[in-house]
Coordinates of all heavy atoms in Angstrom, one line a residue:
I1 N 10.2 112.7 -21.5 CA 9.1 112.6 -22.6 C 8.4 113.9 -22.5 O 8.0 114.5 -21.5 CB 8.3 111.4 -22.4 CG1 7.4 111.2 -23.7 CG2 7.5 111.4 -21.1 CD1 6.6 109.8 -23.7
S2 N 7.9 114.4 -23.7 CA 7.0 115.5 -23.9 C 6.2 115.4 -25.1 O 6.5 114.6 -26.0 CB 7.9 116.8 -23.9 OG 8.8 116.8 -25.1
R3 N 5.2 116.2 -25.2 CA 4.3 116.2 -26.3 C 4.1 117.6 -26.8 O 3.8 118.5 -26.0 CB 3.1 115.4 -26.1 CG 2.2 115.9 -24.9 CD 1.2 114.9 -24.5 NE 0.1 114.7 -25.5 CZ -0.7 113.7 -25.4 NH1 -0.6 112.7 -24.5 NH2 -1.7 113.5 -26.4
D4 N 3.9 117.8 -28.1 CA 3.5 119.1 -28.6 C 2.2 118.8 -29.4 O 2.3 118.3 -30.5 CB 4.6 119.6 -29.6 CG 4.3 121.0 -30.0 OD1 3.1 121.3 -30.2 OD2 5.3 121.7 -30.4
N5 N 1.2 119.1 -28.8 CA -0.2 118.8 -29.5 C -0.3 119.6 -30.8 O -1.0 119.0 -31.7 CB -1.3 119.1 -28.5 CG -1.3 118.1 -27.3 OD1 -0.8 117.0 -27.4 ND2 -2.0 118.5 -26.3
A6 N 0.2 120.8 -30.8 CA 0.0 121.6 -32.1 C 0.7 120.9 -33.2 O 0.4 121.1 -34.4 CB 0.5 122.9 -31.8
K7 N 1.8 120.2 -33.0 CA 2.6 119.5 -34.0 C 2.3 118.1 -34.2 O 2.9 117.4 -35.0 CB 4.1 119.8 -33.8 CG 4.6 121.2 -33.9 CD 6.1 121.3 -33.7 CE 6.5 122.8 -33.9 NZ 8.0 122.9 -33.6
N8 N 1.4 117.6 -33.3 CA 1.1 116.2 -33.3 C 2.3 115.3 -33.2 O 2.5 114.2 -33.8 CB 0.3 115.7 -34.6 CG -1.1 116.4 -34.6 OD1 -1.6 116.6 -33.6 ND2 -1.4 116.8 -35.9
T9 N 3.2 115.7 -32.3 CA 4.5 115.0 -32.1 C 4.8 114.8 -30.6 O 4.5 115.6 -29.8 CB 5.6 116.0 -32.7 OG1 5.3 116.0 -34.1 CG2 7.0 115.3 -32.6
V10 N 5.4 113.7 -30.3 CA 5.9 113.4 -29.1 C 7.4 113.2 -29.1 O 8.0 112.6 -30.2 CB 5.2 112.0 -28.5 CG1 5.9 111.6 -27.2 CG2 3.7 112.2 -28.4
Y11 N 8.1 113.6 -28.1 CA 9.5 113.7 -28.2 C 10.1 112.8 -27.0 O 9.4 112.7 -25.9 CB 10.0 115.1 -28.0 CG 9.6 116.0 -29.0 CD1 8.5 116.9 -28.8 CD2 10.3 116.1 -30.3 CE1 8.1 117.8 -29.7 CE2 9.8 116.9 -31.3 CZ 8.8 117.8 -31.0 OH 8.3 118.7 -32.0
L12 N 11.3 112.3 -27.2 CA 12.0 111.7 -26.1 C 13.4 112.2 -26.1 O 14.2 112.0 -27.0 CB 12.0 110.2 -26.2 CG 12.7 109.4 -25.1 CD1 11.9 109.5 -23.8 CD2 13.0 108.0 -25.5
Q13 N 13.7 113.1 -25.1 CA 15.0 113.6 -24.9 C 15.8 112.7 -24.1 O 15.5 112.3 -22.9 CB 15.0 115.0 -24.2 CG 16.4 115.6 -24.0 CD 17.1 115.9 -25.2 OE1 16.5 116.5 -26.2 NE2 18.4 115.6 -25.2
M14 N 16.9 112.2 -24.6 CA 17.8 111.2 -23.8 C 19.2 111.8 -23.6 O 19.8 112.1 -24.6 CB 17.9 109.9 -24.7 CG 16.5 109.3 -25.1 SD 16.6 107.7 -25.8 CE 17.4 108.1 -27.4
N15 N 19.5 111.8 -22.4 CA 20.8 112.3 -22.0 C 21.6 111.2 -21.3 O 21.0 110.3 -20.9 CB 20.6 113.6 -21.1 CG 19.9 114.7 -21.8 OD1 20.0 114.9 -22.9 ND2 19.1 115.4 -20.9
S16 N 22.9 111.5 -21.1 CA 23.7 110.5 -20.4 C 23.6 109.1 -20.9 O 23.4 108.1 -20.1 CB 23.5 110.6 -18.9 OG 23.6 111.9 -18.4
L17 N 23.6 108.9 -22.1 CA 23.3 107.6 -22.7 C 24.4 106.6 -22.4 O 25.6 107.0 -22.4 CB 23.1 107.8 -24.3 CG 21.8 108.4 -24.7 CD1 21.8 108.9 -26.1 CD2 20.7 107.4 -24.6
K18 N 23.9 105.4 -22.3 CA 24.9 104.3 -21.9 C 24.9 103.2 -23.1 O 23.9 103.1 -23.7 CB 24.5 103.7 -20.6 CG 24.3 104.6 -19.5 CD 23.8 104.0 -18.2 CE 23.5 104.9 -17.1 NZ 23.0 104.2 -15.9
P19 N 25.8 102.5 -23.2 CA 25.8 101.4 -24.2 C 24.6 100.5 -24.0 O 24.0 100.0 -25.0 CB 27.1 100.6 -23.9 CG 28.1 101.6 -23.3 CD 27.2 102.5 -22.5
E20 N 24.2 100.2 -22.8 CA 23.0 99.4 -22.6 C 21.7 100.0 -23.1 O 20.7 99.4 -23.0 CB 22.9 99.0 -21.1 CG 23.0 100.1 -20.1 CD 24.4 100.3 -19.5 OE1 25.3 100.3 -20.3 OE2 24.5 100.6 -18.3
D21 N 21.8 101.3 -23.4 CA 20.6 101.9 -24.0 C 20.5 101.6 -25.5 O 19.5 102.0 -26.2 CB 20.6 103.4 -23.8 CG 20.6 103.9 -22.4 OD1 19.7 103.3 -21.7 OD2 21.3 104.8 -22.0
T22 N 21.4 100.9 -26.1 CA 21.3 100.5 -27.5 C 20.1 99.6 -27.8 O 19.9 98.6 -27.1 CB 22.6 99.8 -27.9 OG1 23.8 100.7 -27.8 CG2 22.5 99.2 -29.3
A23 N 19.3 100.0 -28.6 CA 18.0 99.3 -29.0 C 17.3 99.9 -30.1 O 17.7 101.1 -30.6 CB 17.1 99.3 -27.7
V24 N 16.3 99.3 -30.5 CA 15.3 100.0 -31.5 C 14.2 100.6 -30.6 O 13.7 100.0 -29.8 CB 14.7 99.0 -32.5 CG1 13.7 99.7 -33.4 CG2 15.8 98.3 -33.3
Y25 N 14.0 101.9 -30.8 CA 13.1 102.6 -30.0 C 11.7 102.8 -30.8 O 11.8 103.2 -32.0 CB 13.6 104.0 -29.6 CG 14.6 103.9 -28.5 CD1 15.9 103.2 -28.7 CD2 14.3 104.3 -27.2 CE1 16.8 103.0 -27.6 CE2 15.2 104.2 -26.1 CZ 16.4 103.6 -26.4 OH 17.4 103.4 -25.4
Y26 N 10.6 102.4 -30.3 CA 9.4 102.4 -30.9 C 8.4 103.4 -30.2 O 8.3 103.5 -29.0 CB 8.7 101.1 -30.9 CG 9.4 100.0 -31.5 CD1 10.3 99.2 -30.9 CD2 9.2 99.7 -32.9 CE1 11.0 98.2 -31.6 CE2 9.8 98.7 -33.6 CZ 10.7 97.9 -33.0 OH 11.4 97.0 -33.6
C27 N 7.7 104.2 -31.1 CA 6.7 105.1 -30.6 C 5.3 104.2 -30.5 O 5.1 103.3 -31.4 CB 6.5 106.2 -31.5 SG 5.2 107.4 -31.0
N28 N 4.6 104.5 -29.4 CA 3.3 103.8 -29.2 C 2.2 104.8 -29.0 O 2.4 105.8 -28.3 CB 3.4 102.9 -28.2 CG 2.1 102.3 -27.7 OD1 1.4 102.8 -26.8 ND2 1.7 101.3 -28.3
A29 N 1.0 104.6 -29.5 CA -0.2 105.4 -29.2 C -1.3 104.4 -28.8 O -1.6 103.4 -29.4 CB -0.6 106.1 -30.4
D30 N -1.8 104.8 -27.6 CA -2.9 103.9 -27.0 C -4.2 104.7 -27.2 O -4.4 105.8 -26.5 CB -2.7 103.6 -25.5 CG -3.9 103.0 -24.9 OD1 -4.9 102.8 -25.4 OD2 -3.8 102.5 -23.7
I31 N -5.1 104.3 -28.2 CA -6.2 105.0 -28.5 C -7.4 104.2 -28.1 O -7.7 103.3 -28.8 CB -6.2 105.4 -29.9 CG1 -5.0 106.3 -30.3 CG2 -7.5 106.2 -30.3 CD1 -4.9 106.6 -31.8
W32 N -8.0 104.5 -27.0 CA -9.2 103.7 -26.5 C -9.0 102.3 -26.5 O -9.8 101.5 -26.9 CB -10.4 104.1 -27.3 CG -10.8 105.6 -27.3 CD1 -10.6 106.4 -28.2 CD2 -11.2 106.3 -26.1 NE1 -11.0 107.7 -27.7 CE2 -11.3 107.7 -26.4 CE3 -11.6 105.9 -24.8 CZ2 -11.8 108.6 -25.5 CZ3 -12.0 106.8 -23.8 CH2 -12.2 108.2 -24.2

C-alpha cells in the first residue's frame, strides 16, 4: 500500500495473486 498526497490517491499493488484473492476491494478513509 502507498499514498500520493499530491494526487490525493492511495494505491494497492498486488503481486502473486491467488484465486482466493478474488473479492470486491473497497477503499476506506478514517477521518477523525
Side-chain angles (χ1 to χ4, degrees):
I1 188 171
S2 62
R3 59 194 290 165
D4 185 336
N5 291 338
K7 295 183 178 180
N8 296 325
T9 301
V10 175
Y11 302 99
L12 183 68
Q13 177 66 44
M14 304 189 293
N15 300 325
S16 302
L17 284 161
K18 306 175 182 179
E20 50 264 43
D21 293 317
T22 295
V24 178
Y25 284 69
Y26 296 92
C27 181
N28 171 268
D30 175 353
I31 303 176
W32 298 109

